[in-house]
């Protein structure tokens, strides 16, 4: 057990991550945390959900255990399994159990990608019971008081066959994330990439134009993350046009018509 | 020309001459007499004598021929010379040499030919008569009728070429039956082409027919698909390549652009770009830049005005561009020109060029010179309709002031653009410079306005050495000084107007000396200029409402500029509600430093409803056929914030399938796409029973995994616990209802195509059905329209229990444009059908070409009712997704459907490809 306690400490975030609050999300998170309420972070990709969780984890000085969900994720991958060490059989807590047992934050990223029979594992944790049944050990683990469950969910491009069930959704307090306002987004891009403010503002302006286009294939627009990538490439001496093409146009869409429009806007904005 | 009329003619003389005819055909002769008298000027007696002689020659033995000849001469006297009248008579004689019936046909059909007085045309036509005449009057008649249609369109050159083509076809032993179809095909095809290009295109058609008359049809198809965009130099090259191919089949596929070779050749040669090819991408670019939908139209749609030559411009709502662009050397260059021109017009909106406000001008830029003896007249009072007109009317020569404003404002816009879009400015200056130099080269010298354009817009030093007139140098220097001192990147349009009033006196004195160059209609690159006149005309409604609104605000002690109010009204497409307006005014107030609680309080106390159009309901409307199933639905009222119970009557029609060929034709036309769709959707189909290997639990062991397990144990490494195979029943239980907007707007044709919006939508529906058949999802189809709340219409095409049989396929073809778009009841009705059908996942897909709009059902009211209907659907576990075609996204669509639950397809031509893909993305597992 002490080995696992040491292991949970590995998940502590040593350095404060940079995060610029955009609204009252910090206060809401703190309030939910104090009330032991699970949280759902909703918003498009690359708008700061994961960074926010890291920031709050550091602020609360709690370990953060992140699980990227996918359709091959089984309950055992979250809860844990027996492993063979030499001739011994040793139980190894999964990431969820680790957080539940030792009072960390468990962050399930893109929870809708996981299979529904896996997602249902979190139900008893996400209501007032705060329990995690570990069937293989015959154990019902009561969550540590500091345990917090956080999930992320992007409603933008889900298939209708993969939506989050109401029975899951209604167990969470939801925080909605969106792209920051231009002035704030420029600060973020400047800070994260080290690029000068003028270029950051231009990139943010570009993103604003791209986010106007809502055709098929460009449903989400350019994320703050992509802007930071572009800025980082520019800082490395890549010409802005090439940097934006590589970091923004090509990742966003394969549709030649949309690519053409993005290129036109980029060409307009950078000499 | 014929002998001149004798003005002292006595009608009785005509009677004398007509007497022999009268004895044979009294009634005809009477009518002829009246027709002669109706001519102006009256024909000379000598001409009438010739008419009578020729007519009599035939009348005795062939009365009908005689009458036809008389009628023919009647249309020729006074128009053509005697020489040509004789030719006409000779041609009739040639026809008589075949049969009298042919001669009569000649007498009737050759009138127009003789009137052209074109010797070559006449000879060719005679040859046709001699060759085809023996086949009989019908084939000759078909050929001649086609010829006449060309002559009626004043296409004499094309008519001549047409006859040559007929002769070539005859040389190639064309059969009578083929000729009867061939002749009208030629004339119709030629007349479909643009008049200014017809002559040289016809030459190429002649070449093609010379090779083989059977290739003409392929050529016409190719012209429709893209050969029409080739230039006069490039089309012959394309034809040469085509005719060089080995056999007629290959040549035909090449010419009709059905072969890859043909398509590639056309693409390589093509430099001209039609607006229709780029309007979708331009709209998207403009929307991205501005954040609002921008309509792009061709110059043909520009309201007619004699003030200025048509050129790229905007009226504040739409952007007008040339119908084709061929100035560049390549397709890319011409596409760039379109984008640059569109971007420049959009910049006028972005920079506020049309937001001139008289009050703001007088307060902040009080002009130095006002009424007096320096050439500027009295400033008219506040009665003038438009603030800018009021400003320009204050000058003794308003046209001069407007021209100065046009250029100074364009210079200001470029300064504004440089701060936001430096890349764009660099490109556009290069383009405008090139074009300006071309204009100057053509005219031979610089005009004053062109020099000023070069300085203000292109930021070039005035070419002092190239200035043709010394006094202009000082004028240019003065403008330059003022521009550099007073115009910055943030200056408003009033600053440009202020500069105009400062430089006007001295410029008027210099420019109005009698010398060329300071012309009233300057020639600018691409013919582009700011059209303040068009903007004023197009925004009259906004102007009136802004005046009213300003008065209401002033009464409440609130000071807002009229131009700002007008801009708010324009930006919101007149869908502003009183509440939205108050919020916008708060924002506006904040920008001007007025604001806060005091302003909020003042606005809250205001009743702005008087500034908005009258409310929605205006009574019931006529009902239609009651012999169809009817359903009553509630409607959400935004005013009442409650439902109007049983407010809408929906009639469910069953369209009778009439067009059984539509469905199979679409499958043939989109052959490649159909194959791809079938393959992709087969892959989506669940295989019934899926076997999962390396699974943590299951029905049996996975022996490969067991072996690995044993090995890992021996190696003392952690073995994987996934040792089983599991049989999984993979279920896909999806029901989808596709609801299609068949309102009247869907009958609009696509540019450069004979297809309508609904036509393309129906094609997409066919491909969609093929996709759904492959994946095995249950589906239903219906169209919807409406004509008032008592006549919402629902056209059932297929319900869930029907198979995709021949009858259903015919019904798809039978869908046609109806009336308006009452979407709310259609959504409710489709939802009720979906809710009643047992399926795990239910999806409603709405296909439309715009926002809902019907009688008493538009703007906010319609949007809110549709939102309510969609909410109701979602509450019944029906997922709703909308696809809007032939539009760019707007905030209204986001509000209507939810910003993640709809897709916009700017160009409806992409719909057949994208609809199945959207569905696939929506329902993938």
């Amino acid at each position: 057990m002490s080995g696992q306690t040491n292991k949970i400490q590995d998940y502590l975030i040593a350095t404060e991550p940079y995060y610029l609050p955009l609204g009252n999300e910090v206060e809401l998170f703190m309030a939910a945390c104090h009330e032991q309420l699970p949280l759902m972070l909703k918003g498009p990709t690359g708008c700061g959900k994961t960074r926010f969780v890291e920031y709050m984890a550091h602020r609360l000085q709690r370990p953060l255990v992140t699980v990227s969900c996918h359709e091959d994720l089984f309950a055992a991958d979250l809860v844990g399994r027996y492993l063979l060490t030499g001739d011994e059989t040793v139980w190894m807590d999964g990431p969820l159990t680790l957080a539940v047992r030792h009072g960390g934050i468990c962050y399930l990223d893109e929870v809708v990608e996981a299979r529904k029979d896996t997602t249902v594992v979190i139900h008893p944790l996400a209501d007032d019971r705060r329990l995690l049944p570990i069937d293989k050990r015959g154990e019902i683990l009561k969550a540590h008081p500091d345990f917090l469950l956080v999930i992320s969910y992007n409603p933008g491009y889900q298939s209708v066959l993969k939506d989050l069930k109401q029975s899951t959704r209604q167990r969470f307090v939801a925080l909605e994330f969106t792209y920051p306002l231009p002035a704030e987004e420029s600060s973020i891009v400047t800070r994260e990439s080290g690029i000068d403010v003028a270029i950051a503002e231009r990139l943010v302006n570009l993103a604003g134009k791209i986010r106007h286009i809502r055709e098929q294939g460009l449903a989400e627009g350019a994320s703050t993350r992509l802007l930071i990538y572009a800025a980082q490439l520019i800082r490395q001496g890549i010409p802005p046009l090439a940097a934006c093409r590589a970091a923004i146009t090509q990742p966003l869409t394969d549709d030649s018509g949309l690519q053409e429009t993005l290129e036109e806007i980029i060409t307009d904005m950078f000499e | 020309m014929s002998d001149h009329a004798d003005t002292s003619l006595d009608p009785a003389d005509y009677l004398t001459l007509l007497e022999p005819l009268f004895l044979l055909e009294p009634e005809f002769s009477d009518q002829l007499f009246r027709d002669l008298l109706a001519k102006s000027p009256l024909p000379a007696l000598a001409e009438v004598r010739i008419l009578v002689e020729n007519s009599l020659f035939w009348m005795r033995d062939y009365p009908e021929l005689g009458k036809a000849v008389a009628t023919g001469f009647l249309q020729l006297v006074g128009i053509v010379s005697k020489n040509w009248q004789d030719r006409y008579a000779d041609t009739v004689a040639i026809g008589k040499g075949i049969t009298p019936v042919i001669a009569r046909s000649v007498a009737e059909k050759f009138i127009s030919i003789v009137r052209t007085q074109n010797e070559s045309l006449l000879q060719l036509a005679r040859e046709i008569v001699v060759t085809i005449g023996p086949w009989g009057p019908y084939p000759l008649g078909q050929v001649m009728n086609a010829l006449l249609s060309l002559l009626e369109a004043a296409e004499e050159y094309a008519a001549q070429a047409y006859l040559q083509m007929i002769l070539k076809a005859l040389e190639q032993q064309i059969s009578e039956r083929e000729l009867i179809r061939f002749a009208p095909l030629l004339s119709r095809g030629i007349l479909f082409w643009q008049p200014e290009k017809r002559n040289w295109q016809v030459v190429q058609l002649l070449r093609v027919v010379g090779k083989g008359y059977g290739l003409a049809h392929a050529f016409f198809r190719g012209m429709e698909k893209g050969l029409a965009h080739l230039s006069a130099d490039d089309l012959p090259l394309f034809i040469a390549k085509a005719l060089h191919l080995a056999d007629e089949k290959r040549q035909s596929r090449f010419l009709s652009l059905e072969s890859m070779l043909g398509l590639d050749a056309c693409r390589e040669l093509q430099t001209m770009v039609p607006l229709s090819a780029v309007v979708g991408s331009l709209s998207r670019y403009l929307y991205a830049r501005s954040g609002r939908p921008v309509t792009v139209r061709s110059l043909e749609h520009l309201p007619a005005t004699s003030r200025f030559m048509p050129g790229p411009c905007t009226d504040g709502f739409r952007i007008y561009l040339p119908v084709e662009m061929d100035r560049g050397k390549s397709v890319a260059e011409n596409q760039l020109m379109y984008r640059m021109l569109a971007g420049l017009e959009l910049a006028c909106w972005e920079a506020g060029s049309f937001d001139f406000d008289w009050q703001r001008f007088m307060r902040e830029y009080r002009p130095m010179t006002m009424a007096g003896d320096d050439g500027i007249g009295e400033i008219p009072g506040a009665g003038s309709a438009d603030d800018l007109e009021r400003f320009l009317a204050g000058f003794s020569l308003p046209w001069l002031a407007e021209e100065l404003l046009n250029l100074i404002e364009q210079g200001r816009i470029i300064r504004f653009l440089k701060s936001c879009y430096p890349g764009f400015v660099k490109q556009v200056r290069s383009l405008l410079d090139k074009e300006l130099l071309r204009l100057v080269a053509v005219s031979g010298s610089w005009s004053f306005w062109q020099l000023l354009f070069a300085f203000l817009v292109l930021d070039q030093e005035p070419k002092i050495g190239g200035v043709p007139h010394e006094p202009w140098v000082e004028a240019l220097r003065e403008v330059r000084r003022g521009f550099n001192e007073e115009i910055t990147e943030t200056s408003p349009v009033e600053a440009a107007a202020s500069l105009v009033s400062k430089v006007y006196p001295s410029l008027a004195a210099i420019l109005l000396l009698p010398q060329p160059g300071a012309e009233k209609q300057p020639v600018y690159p691409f013919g582009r200029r700011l059209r303040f006149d068009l903007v004023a005309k197009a925004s009259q409604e906004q102007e009136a409402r802004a005046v009213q609104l300003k008065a209401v605000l002033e009464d409440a002690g609130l000071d807002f500029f009229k131009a700002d109010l007008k801009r708010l009204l324009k930006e919101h497409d007149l869908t502003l509600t009183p509440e939205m307006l108050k919020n916008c005014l708060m924002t506006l107030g904040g920008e001007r430093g007025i604001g806060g609680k005091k302003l909020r309080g003042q606005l809250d106390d205001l009743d702005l409803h008087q500034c908005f159009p009258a409310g929605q309901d205006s009574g019931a409307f006529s009902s239609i056929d009651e012999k169809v199933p009817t359903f009553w639905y509630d409607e959400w009222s935004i005013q009442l914030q409650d439902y109007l119970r049983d407010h809408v009557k929906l009639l469910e029609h069953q369209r009778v399938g009439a067009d059984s060929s539509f469905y199979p034709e679409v499958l043939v036309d989109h052959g490649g796409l159909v194959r791809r769709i079938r393959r992709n959707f087969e892959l989506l189909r669940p295989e019934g029973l899926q076997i999962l290997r390396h699974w943590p639990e299951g029905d049996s062991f996975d022996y490969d995994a067991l072996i690995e397990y044993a090995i890992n144990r021996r190696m003392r490494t952690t073995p994987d616990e996934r040792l089983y195979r599991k049989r999984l029943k993979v279920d896909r239980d999806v029901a989808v209802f596709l609801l299609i907007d068949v309102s009247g707007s869907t009958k609009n044709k696509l540019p450069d195509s004979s297809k309508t919006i609904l036509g393309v939508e129906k094609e997409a529906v066919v491909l969609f059905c093929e996709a759904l058949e492959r994946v095995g999802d249950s589906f239903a189809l219906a169209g919807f329209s409406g004509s008032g709340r008592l006549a919402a219409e629902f056209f059932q095409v297929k319900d869930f229990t029907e198979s995709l049989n021949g009858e259903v396929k015919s019904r798809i073809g039978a869908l046609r444009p109806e009336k308006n778009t009452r979407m709310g009841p259609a959504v409710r009705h489709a939802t009720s059908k979906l809710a009643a059908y047992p399926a795990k996942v239910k999806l409603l897909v709405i296909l439309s070409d715009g926002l809902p709009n019907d009688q008493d059902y538009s703007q906010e009211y319609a949007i809110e009712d549709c939102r309510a209907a969609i909410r109701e659907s979602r509450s019944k576990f029906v997922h709703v997704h909308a696809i809007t075609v032939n539009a760019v996204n707007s905030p209204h669509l986001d509000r209507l459907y939810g910003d993640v639950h709809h897709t916009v397809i700017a160009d409806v031509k992409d719909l057949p490809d994208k609809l199945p893909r959207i569905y696939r993305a929506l329902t993938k597992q």
Side-chain angles (χ1 to χ4, degrees), chain B residues 703-776:
Chain B
Y703 290 100
D704 285 339
L706 274 182
I707 293 167
E708 271 181 43
Y709 178 87
I711 292 168
N712 286 329
R713 285 233 27 205
R714 191 163 291 191
M715 299 287 293
R716 294 180 175 272
T717 55
T718 306
D720 195 341
E721 63 183 13
R722 302 177 196 200
L723 304 175
Y724 299 91
R725 283 157 62 109
K726 187 181 173 83
R727 282 189 184 76
L728 204 64
K729 184 168 180 291
V730 180
D731 227 347
R732 185 184 162 102
D733 186 10
V734 179
V736 56
F737 201 118
L738 180 61
L739 196 55
I740 309 152
D741 175 359
V742 294
S743 60
S745 58
T746 61
K747 73 173 178 291
N748 291 332
K749 283 214 168 108
L750 303 183
D752 278 1
S753 172
S754 53
K755 290 189 186 177
T756 61
I757 294 175
L758 183 59
V760 178
E761 287 180 354
K762 280 159 57 174
E763 289 179 11
V765 168
V766 167
L767 298 175
F768 189 65
C769 291
E770 289 296 308
L772 292 173
E773 282 284 285
R774 286 292 172 276
V775 78

Side-chain angles (χ1 to χ4, degrees), chain B residues 572-600:
Chain B
H572 289 88
D573 286 339
L574 303 176
T575 60
L576 213 50
T577 61
E579 204 42 56
M580 279 167 71
L581 176 58
K582 286 181 184 177
N583 291 331
C584 292
L585 290 172
M586 278 297 298
T587 310
L588 209 52
E591 285 167 13
R592 289 183 54 208
I594 353 163
K597 288 187 184 153
K598 188 179 172 209
L599 177 61
R600 183 82 244 179

Side-chain angles (χ1 to χ4, degrees), chain B residues 641-660:
Chain B
Q641 288 294 301
D642 195 1
Y643 284 97
L644 298 164
R645 298 290 164 200
D646 292 335
H647 188 70
V648 178
K649 184 163 79 174
L650 182 138
L651 300 123
E652 186 179 297
H653 300 278
Q654 187 80 285
R655 271 271 171 265
V656 174
D659 188 354
S660 58

Side-chain angles (χ1 to χ4, degrees), chain B residues 227 229-231 233-241 254 262-272 329-331:
Chain B
L227 294 182
H229 303 319
L230 292 180
S231 67
D233 293 329
D234 293 330
L235 184 59
L237 296 174
F238 180 88
I239 299 298
K241 285 188 185 183
F254 191 96
L263 273 170
D264 286 341
C266 183
R267 250 181 241 131
E268 272 167 41
L269 288 169
Q270 185 180 335
T271 55
M272 187 272 277
K329 291 195 176 64
S330 66
V331 165

Side-chain angles (χ1 to χ4, degrees), chain A residues 120-189:
Chain A
V120 82
V121 159
I122 61 175
H123 278 196
L125 278 172
D127 55 32
D128 60 330
R129 291 175 287 169
R130 287 174 61 85
L131 296 171
L132 178 64
I134 306 176
D135 295 334
K136 285 189 181 167
R137 299 194 72 187
E139 181 185 354
I140 298 188
L141 181 61
K142 180 109 179 79
H144 190 286
D146 287 346
F147 166 71
L148 185 67
L149 179 63
V150 182
I151 63 174
S152 80
Y153 168 53
N154 183 345
Y157 49 69
Q158 298 308 332
S159 159
V160 297
L161 301 182
K162 257 204 220 182
D163 213 359
L164 209 53
K165 292 197 302 183
Q166 284 297 319
S167 57
T168 308
R169 291 176 71 111
Q170 291 201 29
R171 284 171 148 79
F172 291 84
V173 167
L175 299 181
E176 181 148 27
F177 284 74
T178 182
Y179 296 119
L181 292 174
E184 289 157 342
E185 199 168 21
S186 299
S187 302
I188 294 168
V189 171

